Amino acid sequence: MNKKIYPIHFAWITLALYTVFFVLPGLMGFYYSFTDWNSFSTEINFIGFDNFKQLFSADENYLGFINNTLIFTFATVLLKTGLGLAFAIALNEGVRMKGFHRVMLFLPSIVPMLVVGLVFKSILNPATGLLNETLRSVGLGFLAQKWLVDLDWAFKSIIAVDTWKGVGYIMIILLAGLQAISKTYYEAASIDGAGAWNKLRHITIPLLLPALTVTTVLNLLHGLKVFEAVYVLTNGGPGYATDVLYTSIFKEFSMGRFGMGTALSTLLFVFMTIVGYFVVRLMSREGDGDR
Amino acid sequence: MKTGKLLSLFRNVFAWALSLIMFIPLLLVVINALKTKTEANGMNMSLPSSFQWSNFAVVIEEGKLIQSFFNSLLYASASTILSIILASAAAYVLSRNRTRVNKVLYFYLILGIAMPMNFVTLTKVMQATHLMNTQIGIIILLAASALPFSVFLIYGFVSSVPRELDEAGIVDGCSPLRLFFSIVLPLLLPVIVTVGILNFMGAWSDFIHPLYYLNSSDKWPMTLAVYNFFGRFQVNWNLVSADIVLTTLPVVIIYLLGQKFIISGMTSGSVKG
């Protein structure tokens, strides 16, 4: 009966499009990463593990790109969750014009990353940028840095810009979670003489755990796929210091070294599909529970 | 009591400070879009001596913005409509008829939320399907990449639509197709609006697909046109700012009009699962 009312062919086009343009390229990657596919010759030869040998060799920069991607992901997850939680707790009660602040804090997450990148390219300009100008004008000139040019600061600046863009979104998810926690818990804890720290540790964090899991997953997936932020702000510079996986894939692609680009993509594909398997299992189970 | 008042004052000051930090970079662009070239050189917060509305005209002329505006509009709306129809049809049958196979198919579909796109091998697929450097190609790619999350959000919502309505429809002799389009789809409207707005804004902001797969500039969307414009006019921050304003304005307007749907959709959708 169900089969007749809910015919599976309703899902065919969806499954087909998704498979052909999403999954298939990922699977094709397993084959092409073992080839010398490039734009200079029409022939594609099987070369075994050569691409991966090069990828993991200490003489090349690829390990650095992987490392950068992981640092970026780890740092943005930590910063957005930590700051988002702190902001959410600070703004949970007693703030007037809540709606207005919510709109403002959410605003950066809807602006295209490309635009954010261009704006911060100007703000972080060492000579004329708004940040250094402001620091100088309030007498904190010694804090001014060559944000996107300095080897020590470039990557940190990118992480900061990405955090600026994403923290409001995370904060609002956590704020929604906080407001679902009943006040009676805190009242009971106060009667028992618990301080602010104990309330945070034993009430807020445990009850916020589902929301924190969601934000961590969102930030994790976002971090591993970072592209525009790096591409626009530094394009991997100075040198290759800030290149991440997706920017290096694009560089390989632009240079016509498709085999190597595919090998890098496939590495990310395997890693994220494994992570995704557990994430998605969690998500689909929760969906079942709702019924 | 006194500390309570102080705390509340502190909270409000903090809220304003945060809102300012989020807003100043955007305000900076708007202010500088109205300055002359020399005034905008420093890109600071000082107000322009007189409003240079002509910057926008120059940008529209030089940056071929009208063309890219309609390109962006085409990509964003076509891919949004396509993804909504495909995602709701699939989410509907998979959610209503939860057989073992269908559960696996659902799992397979939403695995795409985590999966990264392999842009290099995708060129092979694009060439084989003759979609390389075509507008329809970009529309299909944007729709395909929006499918997993759309299916996920709609699937959860379908469970909240009572099954009795389907049964009533069947008793009245509805075909499955009519049942879906005239009974179920209208009831999915709240989630469809949310998914639609999210997909539209995502497609409007998209940069990476056209960067890989569109090389003729007359097919470029706003994002790519702005980036190219920045490369050519880097020293004219007033023009770059004007260009940025025009690119961002549509999403900001949609956001301000639909912010209830967007915020609740993006947050509750992710919290409740």
Side-chain angles (χ1 to χ4, degrees), chain A residues 25-34 49 51-57 61-67 69-70 224 244-246 248-249 259-275, chain B residues 114-118 120-121:
Chain A
L27 297 178
M28 282 164 70
F30 286 101
Y31 171 73
Y32 284 104
S33 47
F34 293 103
F49 280 94
N51 285 330
F52 288 101
K53 267 184 210 150
Q54 212 183 332
L55 207 161
F56 287 112
S57 118
N61 296 312
Y62 298 111
L63 283 175
F65 306 156
I66 295 172
N67 195 26
T69 311
L70 294 176
L224 290 169
V244 288
L245 268 175
Y246 256 169
S248 71
I249 292 168
M260 195 61 204
T262 305
L264 287 162
S265 289
T266 304
L267 202 68
L268 190 66
F269 181 82
V270 171
F271 183 64
M272 288 191 74
T273 308
I274 293 173
V275 172
Chain B
M115 238 186 248
M117 189 77 103
N118 187 334
V120 187
T121 43

Short mmCIF file of all heavy atoms in Angstrom, two decimals, chain A residues 25-34 49 51-57 61-67 69-70 224 244-246 248-249 259-275, chain B residues 114-118 120-121:
data_model
loop_
_atom_site.label_atom_id
_atom_site.label_comp_id
_atom_site.label_asym_id
_atom_site.label_seq_id
_atom_site.Cartn_x
_atom_site.Cartn_y
_atom_site.Cartn_z
N PRO A 25 31.95 12.20 -8.75
CA PRO A 25 33.28 12.82 -8.79
C PRO A 25 34.15 12.38 -7.63
O PRO A 25 35.35 12.16 -7.79
CB PRO A 25 32.98 14.32 -8.72
CG PRO A 25 31.60 14.46 -9.21
CD PRO A 25 30.88 13.23 -8.79
N GLY A 26 33.55 12.24 -6.45
CA GLY A 26 34.31 11.78 -5.29
C GLY A 26 34.87 10.39 -5.51
O GLY A 26 36.04 10.13 -5.22
N LEU A 27 34.04 9.49 -6.07
CA LEU A 27 34.49 8.12 -6.29
C LEU A 27 35.51 8.05 -7.43
O LEU A 27 36.48 7.31 -7.36
CB LEU A 27 33.29 7.22 -6.61
CG LEU A 27 32.27 7.08 -5.48
CD1 LEU A 27 31.09 6.22 -5.92
CD2 LEU A 27 32.92 6.52 -4.22
N MET A 28 35.29 8.86 -8.48
CA MET A 28 36.24 8.90 -9.59
C MET A 28 37.62 9.30 -9.09
O MET A 28 38.65 8.91 -9.65
CB MET A 28 35.79 9.90 -10.66
CG MET A 28 34.69 9.40 -11.55
SD MET A 28 33.90 10.77 -12.43
CE MET A 28 35.21 11.25 -13.55
N GLY A 29 37.62 10.11 -8.03
CA GLY A 29 38.87 10.56 -7.45
C GLY A 29 39.79 9.41 -7.08
O GLY A 29 41.01 9.51 -7.21
N PHE A 30 39.20 8.29 -6.63
CA PHE A 30 40.02 7.15 -6.22
C PHE A 30 40.84 6.63 -7.39
O PHE A 30 41.96 6.20 -7.23
CB PHE A 30 39.14 6.03 -5.65
CG PHE A 30 38.64 6.35 -4.28
CD1 PHE A 30 37.34 6.79 -4.09
CD2 PHE A 30 39.47 6.23 -3.18
CE1 PHE A 30 36.87 7.10 -2.83
CE2 PHE A 30 39.01 6.54 -1.92
CZ PHE A 30 37.72 6.98 -1.74
N TYR A 31 40.26 6.66 -8.59
CA TYR A 31 41.00 6.21 -9.76
C TYR A 31 42.01 7.28 -10.20
O TYR A 31 43.20 7.00 -10.33
CB TYR A 31 40.04 5.87 -10.90
CG TYR A 31 40.76 5.62 -12.21
CD1 TYR A 31 41.49 4.44 -12.39
CD2 TYR A 31 40.74 6.56 -13.22
CE1 TYR A 31 42.18 4.22 -13.56
CE2 TYR A 31 41.43 6.35 -14.41
CZ TYR A 31 42.15 5.17 -14.57
OH TYR A 31 42.84 4.95 -15.73
N TYR A 32 41.53 8.51 -10.38
CA TYR A 32 42.40 9.53 -10.99
C TYR A 32 43.55 9.97 -10.09
O TYR A 32 44.53 10.53 -10.57
CB TYR A 32 41.57 10.74 -11.45
CG TYR A 32 40.81 10.46 -12.71
CD1 TYR A 32 39.44 10.22 -12.68
CD2 TYR A 32 41.47 10.40 -13.93
CE1 TYR A 32 38.74 9.94 -13.84
CE2 TYR A 32 40.78 10.11 -15.09
CZ TYR A 32 39.41 9.89 -15.05
OH TYR A 32 38.73 9.60 -16.19
N SER A 33 43.44 9.74 -8.78
CA SER A 33 44.56 10.15 -7.94
C SER A 33 45.75 9.21 -8.12
O SER A 33 46.84 9.51 -7.65
CB SER A 33 44.14 10.23 -6.47
OG SER A 33 43.44 9.11 -6.09
N PHE A 34 45.53 8.09 -8.80
CA PHE A 34 46.65 7.21 -9.09
C PHE A 34 47.15 7.38 -10.53
O PHE A 34 47.81 6.51 -11.07
CB PHE A 34 46.25 5.74 -8.85
CG PHE A 34 45.99 5.44 -7.41
CD1 PHE A 34 44.68 5.32 -6.94
CD2 PHE A 34 47.04 5.30 -6.51
CE1 PHE A 34 44.43 5.07 -5.60
CE2 PHE A 34 46.79 5.05 -5.18
CZ PHE A 34 45.49 4.93 -4.72
N PHE A 49 51.34 4.90 -6.64
CA PHE A 49 51.24 5.78 -5.47
C PHE A 49 52.07 7.06 -5.59
O PHE A 49 52.27 7.75 -4.60
CB PHE A 49 51.65 5.01 -4.21
CG PHE A 49 50.56 4.13 -3.70
CD1 PHE A 49 50.50 2.80 -4.07
CD2 PHE A 49 49.60 4.63 -2.83
CE1 PHE A 49 49.49 1.98 -3.60
CE2 PHE A 49 48.59 3.82 -2.35
CZ PHE A 49 48.53 2.49 -2.74
N ASN A 51 51.64 10.10 -6.71
CA ASN A 51 51.05 11.34 -6.22
C ASN A 51 51.06 11.38 -4.69
O ASN A 51 51.36 12.40 -4.08
CB ASN A 51 49.61 11.48 -6.70
CG ASN A 51 49.55 11.87 -8.16
OD1 ASN A 51 50.44 12.54 -8.66
ND2 ASN A 51 48.51 11.42 -8.85
N PHE A 52 50.72 10.24 -4.09
CA PHE A 52 50.63 10.22 -2.63
C PHE A 52 52.01 10.26 -1.99
O PHE A 52 52.20 10.85 -0.93
CB PHE A 52 49.85 8.98 -2.17
CG PHE A 52 48.39 9.10 -2.47
CD1 PHE A 52 47.84 8.46 -3.58
CD2 PHE A 52 47.57 9.89 -1.68
CE1 PHE A 52 46.50 8.60 -3.88
CE2 PHE A 52 46.22 10.02 -1.97
CZ PHE A 52 45.68 9.38 -3.08
N LYS A 53 53.01 9.65 -2.69
CA LYS A 53 54.38 9.73 -2.19
C LYS A 53 54.82 11.18 -2.14
O LYS A 53 55.40 11.65 -1.16
CB LYS A 53 55.32 8.93 -3.10
CG LYS A 53 55.54 7.51 -2.64
CD LYS A 53 56.56 6.82 -3.55
CE LYS A 53 56.28 5.34 -3.64
NZ LYS A 53 56.69 4.77 -4.93
N GLN A 54 54.50 11.90 -3.23
CA GLN A 54 54.85 13.32 -3.31
C GLN A 54 54.09 14.10 -2.24
O GLN A 54 54.65 14.98 -1.58
CB GLN A 54 54.45 13.82 -4.69
CG GLN A 54 55.35 14.91 -5.21
CD GLN A 54 54.86 15.42 -6.56
OE1 GLN A 54 54.23 14.69 -7.33
NE2 GLN A 54 55.15 16.66 -6.85
N LEU A 55 52.84 13.74 -2.06
CA LEU A 55 51.98 14.45 -1.12
C LEU A 55 52.52 14.35 0.31
O LEU A 55 52.50 15.31 1.06
CB LEU A 55 50.60 13.81 -1.22
CG LEU A 55 49.35 14.61 -0.89
CD1 LEU A 55 48.15 13.93 -1.51
CD2 LEU A 55 49.14 14.76 0.58
N PHE A 56 53.01 13.15 0.66
CA PHE A 56 53.47 12.95 2.03
C PHE A 56 54.97 13.13 2.18
O PHE A 56 55.52 12.86 3.23
CB PHE A 56 53.06 11.55 2.52
CG PHE A 56 51.60 11.45 2.79
CD1 PHE A 56 50.78 10.66 1.99
CD2 PHE A 56 51.02 12.16 3.83
CE1 PHE A 56 49.42 10.57 2.23
CE2 PHE A 56 49.67 12.08 4.09
CZ PHE A 56 48.86 11.29 3.29
N SER A 57 55.64 13.60 1.10
CA SER A 57 57.09 13.76 1.21
C SER A 57 57.41 15.06 1.94
O SER A 57 56.70 16.07 1.81
CB SER A 57 57.72 13.75 -0.19
OG SER A 57 58.36 14.98 -0.43
N ASN A 61 55.36 20.97 0.00
CA ASN A 61 54.61 21.79 0.96
C ASN A 61 53.28 21.17 1.37
O ASN A 61 52.59 21.72 2.22
CB ASN A 61 54.32 23.16 0.36
CG ASN A 61 55.59 23.92 0.09
OD1 ASN A 61 56.46 24.00 0.95
ND2 ASN A 61 55.71 24.46 -1.10
N TYR A 62 52.92 20.05 0.76
CA TYR A 62 51.56 19.54 0.93
C TYR A 62 51.21 19.24 2.39
O TYR A 62 50.10 19.52 2.84
CB TYR A 62 51.32 18.31 0.07
CG TYR A 62 51.46 18.60 -1.40
CD1 TYR A 62 52.51 18.08 -2.14
CD2 TYR A 62 50.55 19.42 -2.04
CE1 TYR A 62 52.66 18.37 -3.48
CE2 TYR A 62 50.69 19.73 -3.39
CZ TYR A 62 51.74 19.20 -4.10
OH TYR A 62 51.87 19.49 -5.43
N LEU A 63 52.18 18.67 3.11
CA LEU A 63 51.90 18.36 4.52
C LEU A 63 51.57 19.63 5.29
O LEU A 63 50.73 19.62 6.18
CB LEU A 63 53.10 17.63 5.15
CG LEU A 63 53.23 16.16 4.77
CD1 LEU A 63 54.50 15.58 5.35
CD2 LEU A 63 52.01 15.38 5.23
N GLY A 64 52.23 20.72 4.91
CA GLY A 64 51.95 22.00 5.54
C GLY A 64 50.52 22.45 5.28
O GLY A 64 49.86 22.99 6.17
N PHE A 65 50.03 22.19 4.07
CA PHE A 65 48.65 22.59 3.74
C PHE A 65 47.65 21.79 4.58
O PHE A 65 46.65 22.33 5.06
CB PHE A 65 48.33 22.37 2.25
CG PHE A 65 49.31 23.04 1.31
CD1 PHE A 65 49.49 22.57 0.03
CD2 PHE A 65 50.05 24.14 1.73
CE1 PHE A 65 50.38 23.18 -0.84
CE2 PHE A 65 50.94 24.76 0.86
CZ PHE A 65 51.11 24.27 -0.42
N ILE A 66 47.96 20.50 4.72
CA ILE A 66 47.06 19.65 5.53
C ILE A 66 47.09 20.14 6.98
O ILE A 66 46.05 20.30 7.62
CB ILE A 66 47.52 18.17 5.47
CG1 ILE A 66 47.37 17.65 4.04
CG2 ILE A 66 46.72 17.31 6.44
CD1 ILE A 66 47.96 16.27 3.81
N ASN A 67 48.29 20.42 7.43
CA ASN A 67 48.47 20.92 8.79
C ASN A 67 47.69 22.22 9.00
O ASN A 67 46.98 22.38 9.99
CB ASN A 67 49.96 21.13 9.03
CG ASN A 67 50.29 21.28 10.49
OD1 ASN A 67 49.55 20.78 11.33
ND2 ASN A 67 51.36 22.00 10.80
N THR A 69 45.10 23.27 7.35
CA THR A 69 43.66 23.01 7.34
C THR A 69 43.21 22.54 8.73
O THR A 69 42.18 22.99 9.25
CB THR A 69 43.32 21.94 6.29
OG1 THR A 69 43.95 22.29 5.06
CG2 THR A 69 41.83 21.83 6.08
N LEU A 70 44.01 21.64 9.32
CA LEU A 70 43.65 21.12 10.64
C LEU A 70 43.73 22.21 11.70
O LEU A 70 42.85 22.32 12.56
CB LEU A 70 44.55 19.93 11.01
CG LEU A 70 44.37 18.70 10.12
CD1 LEU A 70 45.36 17.61 10.50
CD2 LEU A 70 42.94 18.16 10.22
N LEU A 224 37.02 22.45 7.61
CA LEU A 224 37.76 21.58 6.71
C LEU A 224 37.60 22.00 5.25
O LEU A 224 38.47 21.76 4.43
CB LEU A 224 37.30 20.13 6.89
CG LEU A 224 37.68 19.47 8.22
CD1 LEU A 224 36.95 18.15 8.40
CD2 LEU A 224 39.19 19.25 8.30
N VAL A 244 45.65 26.25 2.39
CA VAL A 244 44.92 25.12 2.97
C VAL A 244 44.59 24.14 1.85
O VAL A 244 44.91 24.40 0.69
CB VAL A 244 43.63 25.58 3.68
CG1 VAL A 244 43.94 26.30 4.96
CG2 VAL A 244 42.79 26.43 2.76
N LEU A 245 43.95 23.02 2.19
CA LEU A 245 43.70 21.99 1.17
C LEU A 245 42.95 22.53 -0.04
O LEU A 245 43.38 22.34 -1.18
CB LEU A 245 42.91 20.84 1.80
CG LEU A 245 43.77 19.72 2.37
CD1 LEU A 245 42.91 18.69 3.07
CD2 LEU A 245 44.61 19.06 1.28
N TYR A 246 41.82 23.21 0.20
CA TYR A 246 41.01 23.63 -0.93
C TYR A 246 41.72 24.67 -1.81
O TYR A 246 41.52 24.67 -3.03
CB TYR A 246 39.65 24.15 -0.46
CG TYR A 246 38.50 23.19 -0.70
CD1 TYR A 246 37.25 23.40 -0.14
CD2 TYR A 246 38.66 22.05 -1.48
CE1 TYR A 246 36.19 22.51 -0.35
CE2 TYR A 246 37.64 21.16 -1.70
CZ TYR A 246 36.41 21.39 -1.14
OH TYR A 246 35.36 20.52 -1.36
N SER A 248 44.99 24.80 -2.23
CA SER A 248 46.06 24.12 -2.96
C SER A 248 45.47 23.26 -4.07
O SER A 248 46.06 23.13 -5.14
CB SER A 248 46.93 23.29 -2.02
OG SER A 248 46.23 22.17 -1.57
N ILE A 249 44.26 22.71 -3.85
CA ILE A 249 43.59 21.97 -4.92
C ILE A 249 43.32 22.90 -6.10
O ILE A 249 43.56 22.56 -7.25
CB ILE A 249 42.28 21.33 -4.41
CG1 ILE A 249 42.58 20.22 -3.40
CG2 ILE A 249 41.46 20.76 -5.57
CD1 ILE A 249 41.38 19.74 -2.62
N GLY A 259 45.98 15.35 -11.71
CA GLY A 259 46.21 14.13 -10.92
C GLY A 259 46.48 14.46 -9.47
O GLY A 259 45.89 13.89 -8.55
N MET A 260 47.40 15.39 -9.27
CA MET A 260 47.76 15.79 -7.91
C MET A 260 46.57 16.45 -7.20
O MET A 260 46.30 16.19 -6.03
CB MET A 260 48.93 16.78 -8.00
CG MET A 260 49.64 17.00 -6.69
SD MET A 260 50.34 15.45 -6.10
CE MET A 260 50.42 15.84 -4.37
N GLY A 261 45.85 17.32 -7.93
CA GLY A 261 44.66 17.96 -7.37
C GLY A 261 43.65 16.92 -6.90
O GLY A 261 43.05 17.05 -5.84
N THR A 262 43.50 15.87 -7.72
CA THR A 262 42.56 14.82 -7.38
C THR A 262 43.02 14.06 -6.13
O THR A 262 42.22 13.73 -5.26
CB THR A 262 42.43 13.83 -8.55
OG1 THR A 262 42.07 14.57 -9.69
CG2 THR A 262 41.37 12.81 -8.27
N ALA A 263 44.34 13.82 -6.05
CA ALA A 263 44.86 13.10 -4.89
C ALA A 263 44.55 13.87 -3.60
O ALA A 263 44.10 13.29 -2.61
CB ALA A 263 46.37 12.88 -5.04
N LEU A 264 44.77 15.18 -3.64
CA LEU A 264 44.48 16.01 -2.46
C LEU A 264 42.98 15.97 -2.14
O LEU A 264 42.58 15.82 -0.98
CB LEU A 264 44.92 17.46 -2.72
CG LEU A 264 46.42 17.73 -2.70
CD1 LEU A 264 46.73 19.05 -3.38
CD2 LEU A 264 46.95 17.75 -1.28
N SER A 265 42.15 16.10 -3.18
CA SER A 265 40.70 16.06 -2.98
C SER A 265 40.27 14.74 -2.36
O SER A 265 39.40 14.70 -1.49
CB SER A 265 39.97 16.22 -4.31
OG SER A 265 40.08 17.52 -4.79
N THR A 266 40.88 13.65 -2.87
CA THR A 266 40.46 12.33 -2.42
C THR A 266 40.81 12.12 -0.95
O THR A 266 40.04 11.53 -0.19
CB THR A 266 41.12 11.25 -3.30
OG1 THR A 266 40.76 11.51 -4.64
CG2 THR A 266 40.65 9.86 -2.91
N LEU A 267 41.96 12.66 -0.57
CA LEU A 267 42.36 12.58 0.84
C LEU A 267 41.29 13.23 1.73
O LEU A 267 40.83 12.65 2.73
CB LEU A 267 43.69 13.32 1.00
CG LEU A 267 44.53 12.96 2.20
CD1 LEU A 267 45.06 11.55 2.04
CD2 LEU A 267 45.69 13.95 2.33
N LEU A 268 40.87 14.43 1.33
CA LEU A 268 39.85 15.15 2.09
C LEU A 268 38.52 14.39 2.04
O LEU A 268 37.81 14.28 3.05
CB LEU A 268 39.67 16.55 1.48
CG LEU A 268 38.81 17.53 2.26
CD1 LEU A 268 39.46 17.88 3.58
CD2 LEU A 268 38.56 18.80 1.46
N PHE A 269 38.22 13.82 0.87
CA PHE A 269 36.98 13.08 0.69
C PHE A 269 36.89 11.90 1.66
O PHE A 269 35.89 11.71 2.35
CB PHE A 269 36.89 12.59 -0.76
CG PHE A 269 35.64 11.82 -1.09
CD1 PHE A 269 34.47 12.49 -1.40
CD2 PHE A 269 35.65 10.43 -1.11
CE1 PHE A 269 33.32 11.79 -1.72
CE2 PHE A 269 34.50 9.72 -1.41
CZ PHE A 269 33.34 10.40 -1.71
N VAL A 270 37.98 11.13 1.73
CA VAL A 270 37.98 9.96 2.61
C VAL A 270 37.81 10.40 4.06
O VAL A 270 36.94 9.90 4.79
CB VAL A 270 39.30 9.16 2.46
CG1 VAL A 270 39.41 8.08 3.51
CG2 VAL A 270 39.38 8.55 1.07
N PHE A 271 38.59 11.39 4.45
CA PHE A 271 38.55 11.86 5.83
C PHE A 271 37.16 12.38 6.21
O PHE A 271 36.58 11.99 7.22
CB PHE A 271 39.61 12.96 6.02
CG PHE A 271 39.71 13.47 7.42
CD1 PHE A 271 40.11 12.65 8.45
CD2 PHE A 271 39.39 14.79 7.71
CE1 PHE A 271 40.21 13.12 9.74
CE2 PHE A 271 39.48 15.28 9.00
CZ PHE A 271 39.90 14.43 10.02
N MET A 272 36.61 13.23 5.35
CA MET A 272 35.33 13.85 5.71
C MET A 272 34.16 12.89 5.58
O MET A 272 33.17 13.03 6.29
CB MET A 272 35.09 15.09 4.85
CG MET A 272 36.01 16.23 5.24
SD MET A 272 35.57 17.78 4.49
CE MET A 272 34.11 18.21 5.42
N THR A 273 34.26 11.92 4.69
CA THR A 273 33.17 10.96 4.58
C THR A 273 33.13 10.07 5.83
O THR A 273 32.06 9.73 6.32
CB THR A 273 33.31 10.12 3.30
OG1 THR A 273 33.47 11.01 2.20
CG2 THR A 273 32.08 9.27 3.06
N ILE A 274 34.31 9.73 6.35
CA ILE A 274 34.35 8.94 7.59
C ILE A 274 33.78 9.75 8.75
O ILE A 274 32.91 9.29 9.49
CB ILE A 274 35.79 8.47 7.90
CG1 ILE A 274 36.25 7.48 6.83
CG2 ILE A 274 35.84 7.82 9.27
CD1 ILE A 274 37.70 7.09 6.93
N VAL A 275 34.25 10.99 8.88
CA VAL A 275 33.70 11.86 9.93
C VAL A 275 32.20 12.03 9.71
O VAL A 275 31.39 11.89 10.64
CB VAL A 275 34.38 13.26 9.89
CG1 VAL A 275 33.67 14.21 10.85
CG2 VAL A 275 35.85 13.15 10.24
N ALA B 114 28.23 16.29 4.74
CA ALA B 114 29.62 16.30 5.18
C ALA B 114 30.60 16.15 4.02
O ALA B 114 31.72 16.64 4.08
CB ALA B 114 29.85 15.17 6.18
N MET B 115 30.17 15.47 2.96
CA MET B 115 31.09 15.15 1.87
C MET B 115 31.61 16.39 1.17
O MET B 115 30.84 17.29 0.85
CB MET B 115 30.32 14.32 0.85
CG MET B 115 30.88 12.99 0.55
SD MET B 115 29.91 12.32 -0.80
CE MET B 115 29.11 11.00 0.03
N PRO B 116 32.91 16.47 0.92
CA PRO B 116 33.41 17.60 0.13
C PRO B 116 33.28 17.29 -1.36
O PRO B 116 33.30 16.14 -1.76
CB PRO B 116 34.88 17.65 0.54
CG PRO B 116 35.24 16.25 0.86
CD PRO B 116 34.00 15.56 1.35
N MET B 117 33.11 18.33 -2.14
CA MET B 117 33.02 18.18 -3.59
C MET B 117 34.43 17.99 -4.15
O MET B 117 35.33 18.74 -3.80
CB MET B 117 32.38 19.46 -4.13
CG MET B 117 31.99 19.43 -5.57
SD MET B 117 30.48 18.51 -5.83
CE MET B 117 29.28 19.81 -6.05
N ASN B 118 34.60 17.01 -5.03
CA ASN B 118 35.88 16.90 -5.73
C ASN B 118 35.79 17.69 -7.03
O ASN B 118 35.29 17.21 -8.05
CB ASN B 118 36.20 15.43 -6.02
CG ASN B 118 37.60 15.26 -6.59
OD1 ASN B 118 38.13 16.19 -7.21
ND2 ASN B 118 38.20 14.12 -6.40
N VAL B 120 37.99 18.68 -9.09
CA VAL B 120 38.86 18.33 -10.20
C VAL B 120 38.21 17.27 -11.08
O VAL B 120 38.08 17.45 -12.29
CB VAL B 120 40.24 17.85 -9.68
CG1 VAL B 120 41.19 17.65 -10.84
CG2 VAL B 120 40.81 18.85 -8.69
N THR B 121 37.77 16.17 -10.47
CA THR B 121 37.14 15.12 -11.27
C THR B 121 35.76 15.56 -11.75
O THR B 121 35.27 15.04 -12.75
CB THR B 121 36.99 13.82 -10.47
OG1 THR B 121 36.54 14.14 -9.16
CG2 THR B 121 38.30 13.08 -10.39
#
